[in-house]
Amino acid sequence: MQLRDIKQGWKPVTIAVGLMSGVPVGMYASVDQYSKIDTVLTNHSTSRYIAEVNDPSELMMNGKLVFEALESSWKKETRFLSSVKGIIEQRDFQSIVAMGAQAVPLIGQSIEAEPSMLVWALNLIFKGKISAKKDLTIEEACKLWVKELKRQGWM
């Protein structure tokens, strides 16, 4: 449907499938309170389309693309920061943490290839540190996390 085809009085209904990939499930319902959409789709071809879009391999690929974009932006915006608080409170870092379990193997692959402060995201996701050692370097923490993620089957 094009905008010129919308007649006065119609309320356009939009399915934002592209926006839903990689977004937590609870997010969809929260949109309803603002959109004032009260229609339930019953068209079976729409159901088939949504089932195809929700293919787990596609969701993982979309999650990877989102992760890579967030990681790239986070690195760019924090490369000159020395404040731990500033680095972990940066919006892209927080978005990676919000991805939760979906981000874990992607973080593991990233820190295995290139150790970085992204390892702190694993502490936040798992709500714990990999070691109690006070003088642990970022490189050592990355190696320990990668080893543990592999042991647990995340990678």
Side-chain angles (χ1 to χ4, degrees):
M1 174 186 310
Q2 294 187 9
L3 285 176
R4 62 182 160 76
D5 295 334
I6 297 175
K7 296 189 181 2
Q8 188 168 345
W10 284 20
K11 292 183 181 178
V13 177
T14 304
I15 300 175
V17 175
L19 295 173
M20 295 310 299
S21 60
V23 176
V25 176
M27 182 79 169
Y28 184 74
S30 65
V31 172
D32 292 343
Q33 65 182 326
Y34 301 107
S35 68
K36 300 191 182 349
I37 295 172
D38 58 2
T39 303
V40 176
L41 298 173
T42 57
N43 182 327
H44 296 292
S45 63
T46 302
S47 298
R48 279 192 301 279
Y49 172 74
I50 291 172
E52 290 170 12
V53 169
N54 286 332
D55 176 9
S57 62
E58 291 288 326
L59 289 175
M60 186 59 194
M61 178 55 81
N62 289 336
K64 184 173 181 171
L65 294 173
V66 168
F67 172 82
E68 288 172 351
L70 291 169
E71 181 187 28
S72 175
S73 177
W74 169 73
K75 284 179 177 180
K76 180 181 174 187
E77 291 191 23
T78 63
R79 68 178 163 236
F80 298 116
L81 288 181
S82 59
S83 162
V84 172
K85 182 179 181 193
I87 292 169
I88 65 172
E89 288 183 351
Q90 195 272 344
R91 72 180 182 282
D92 298 314
F93 185 90
Q94 289 298 310
S95 294
I96 290 170
V97 171
M99 290 176 73
Q102 185 180 18
V104 170
L106 302 170
I107 294 169
Q109 292 167 5
S110 176
I111 64 173
E112 182 177 36
E114 180 184 344
S116 76
M117 290 175 269
L118 186 59
V119 72
W120 292 331
L122 293 171
N123 295 353
L124 296 170
I125 292 169
F126 286 104
K127 296 178 176 48
K129 298 186 288 185
I130 194 69
S131 173
K133 186 177 170 186
K134 296 279 186 208
D135 58 346
L136 193 68
T137 66
I138 294 291
E139 289 80 14
E140 292 170 329
C142 290
K143 286 178 185 177
L144 289 173
W145 269 112
V146 167
K147 183 178 177 181
E148 184 62 19
L149 293 176
K150 286 181 177 181
R151 189 185 72 73
Q152 291 186 20
W154 287 96
M155 295 176 60

